[in-house]
Amino acid sequence: MQVAEKKAVTIKYTLRDEEGAVLDSTDGRDPLTYLHGADNLVPGVEEALQGKSPGDEVTVTVPPEKGYGKREDGNVRNVPVRKLPAGRLQPGATVQLNTNHGPVVAVVKAVKGDYATLDLNHPLAGKTLRFELQVVEVRDATEEEISHGHVHAPGEHH
Ligand code: ZN
């Protein structure tokens, strides 16, 4: 069976940056199962896997436009400290913000007086990424998975 829309696809992957350093990998843990064609993975990865079969391996270089997007200066904002969750605010720390679009994780860049500078860009935004992909398994997604837009673990109902 080939990778196509409405298939549940299981893959192993290693994600590297442009210098070849490993950023993420399924090595040493369970492979990843996702619903193809439902924006579960970044576009560049789904395009590379389209039409592939179990056992196939593909390496793809994904530019920001087909990855996690470009960095937006507008996503760096000054936010009053009193509006942030209690805790130690220091550069490099992450805080969860509740926005109109749901929870977003932001990285604290600086704290000055009553304001913190937060970077709401995805940590991988603006990066060109290299994905080494291996297709492990392809199956038809269930109606429930298709309607939910994601895969379920065996026996999972919610
Ligand atoms: Zn579900």
Side-chain angles (χ1 to χ4, degrees), residues 27-44:
D27 270 359
R29 55 184 163 97
D30 287 339
L32 171 74
T33 302
Y34 76 98
L35 179 63
H36 193 80
D39 293 332
N40 288 178
L41 303 184
V42 297

Side-chain angles (χ1 to χ4, degrees), residues 50-104:
Q50 179 81 23
K52 296 288 185 291
S53 303
D56 285 352
E57 294 182 29
V58 58
T59 296
V60 62
T61 299
V62 175
E65 309 85 75
K66 293 200 170 181
Y68 292 91
K70 297 185 185 229
R71 282 188 56 82
E72 305 277 353
D73 289 342
N75 285 340
V76 179
R77 293 186 200 152
N78 289 315
V79 177
V81 168
R82 64 184 164 76
K83 291 198 165 184
L84 297 174
R88 285 196 311 150
L89 288 175
Q90 54 188 28
T94 55
V95 292
Q96 184 166 314
L97 304 178
N98 292 312
T99 73
N100 296 337
H101 308 290
V104 169

Side-chain angles (χ1 to χ4, degrees), residues 144-145 147-152 156-158:
E144 192 184 39
E145 287 173 326
S147 72
H148 286 198
H150 55 232
V151 296
H152 295 157
E156 179 191 352
H157 293 283
H158 67 144

